[in-house]
Amino acid sequence: MKTSWGYAAWLAVSGLVCVAITIFAASAYVGLDMSQARPPLHGPVHYGLLVAHIFTGTVAVLAGVSQFWPRLRGRHPRVHRAMGRVYFAAVLPSSVLGVVCAQLSLAGLASSAPLTVLSVLWFVTALYGLKTARRRQFGEHRIWMIRGFALTGAAVTGRLWGLALGSLMPGSDGADGLLIFATANWLSFVVNLLVAEWWIQSRGYTRTLPSVALKPSISSRSAQSSASVA
Ligand code: HEM
């Protein structure tokens, strides 16, 4: 399918915004200086787990963004496959570390609940994305990858929601600050998932690549039976 200029420009701008916000978020942790960490921490082990989560999460965003470029998939399928492996190798540990960091969060249940739900969904969608790719069920694979990347993007949209809500309630700290943080964390992935489902439905992705068509044994059997009926 030919990519329109409008679609290419939209992909490029949203990809650049994702990459810029991710690099900015991760930059405070590059020096491995615990005093630069933004959330309050239990100690060095907590910091180590958080840094591992952030570095693998950054790789997931960078590898994931590249996968949505249609020319890469069409012209360089090997690069697409290699980046896909990098993406899974990053998301799976990052989501497990996300669950652990959410339980360790000193901000309490209001903060850890949305992050736990998000981490579990992030892990499960990656697992389905990997499973469907291995089974060559590419229709389903595309759908699971869109859902999964919508969750990866929560790291970006969560920060944007935090900024937007913070500007509506300037000077908020304590309970109000926590309310903003928790609301931003829920909105970060619920809205992304709704947009992803709308995207999947509106582009008819459920119908365009039926996985059954990619199973040679089934499709050749049905071809034989329809030939015998004819
Ligand atoms: C999308 C699924 C993700 C989940 C569920 C998740 C979960 C978490 C959790 C539980 C924390 C600790 C919060 C606390 O202690 O209060 C955290 C912090 C952090 N995460 Fe993630 N994370 C995700 C994705 C990412 C990605 C893709 C990045 C890429 C840069 C990232 C970067 C960070 C950073 C920088 C922090 C430290 C907080 C800050 O400095 O703003 N996360 N995350």
Side-chain angles (χ1 to χ4, degrees), residues 151-173:
L151 296 171
T152 306
V156 172
T157 51
R159 283 171 176 83
L160 295 176
W161 279 113
L163 284 177
L165 295 174
S167 69
L168 292 177
M169 295 168 72
S172 311
D173 52 9

Side-chain angles (χ1 to χ4, degrees), residues 21-23 25-26 28-29 36-41 46 50 53-61 94-95 97-107 111-112 114-120 122 151-156 159 181:
I21 292 180
T22 303
I23 290 176
Y29 300 86
Q36 298 293 310
R38 281 182 279 253
L41 300 170
H46 188 180
L50 184 63
H53 157 73
I54 292 167
F55 287 172
T56 46
T58 304
V59 173
V61 173
S94 195
S95 53
L97 288 160
V99 176
V100 176
C101 289
Q103 310 321 303
L104 294 173
S105 174
L106 289 165
S111 152
S112 64
L115 293 172
T116 304
V117 175
L118 172 57
S119 301
V120 172
W122 201 27
L151 296 171
T152 306
V156 172
R159 283 171 176 83
F181 186 59

Side-chain angles (χ1 to χ4, degrees), residues 130-147:
L130 187 60
K131 195 174 91 172
T132 48
R134 286 180 156 239
R135 292 185 179 171
R136 305 182 67 75
Q137 297 169 329
F138 295 119
E140 272 121 295
H141 171 67
R142 177 160 63 183
I143 290 169
W144 281 111
M145 294 315 289
I146 292 171
R147 287 175 182 150

Side-chain angles (χ1 to χ4, degrees), residues 181-205:
F181 186 59
T183 311
N185 282 339
W186 282 113
L187 290 172
S188 72
F189 68 96
V190 173
V191 174
N192 285 13
L193 275 183
L194 290 173
V195 172
E197 287 309 314
W198 166 79
W199 179 258
I200 290 164
Q201 298 298 324
S202 67
R203 291 186 70 99
Y205 280 161

Side-chain angles (χ1 to χ4, degrees), residues 56-77:
T56 46
T58 304
V59 173
V61 173
L62 301 183
V65 163
S66 73
Q67 297 297 77
F68 283 85
W69 196 253
R71 279 195 188 178
L72 184 77
R73 292 200 301 268
R75 293 192 188 172
H76 306 286

Side-chain angles (χ1 to χ4, degrees), residues 3-17 68-70 199:
T3 311
S4 72
W5 275 105
Y7 182 61
W10 180 83
L11 272 182
V13 170
S14 48
L16 281 175
V17 169
F68 283 85
W69 196 253
W199 179 258

Side-chain angles (χ1 to χ4, degrees), residues 31-54:
L32 299 180
D33 176 358
M34 204 165 100
S35 67
Q36 298 293 310
R38 281 182 279 253
L41 300 170
H42 290 282
V45 175
H46 188 180
Y47 182 68
L49 293 167
L50 184 63
V51 167
H53 157 73
I54 292 167

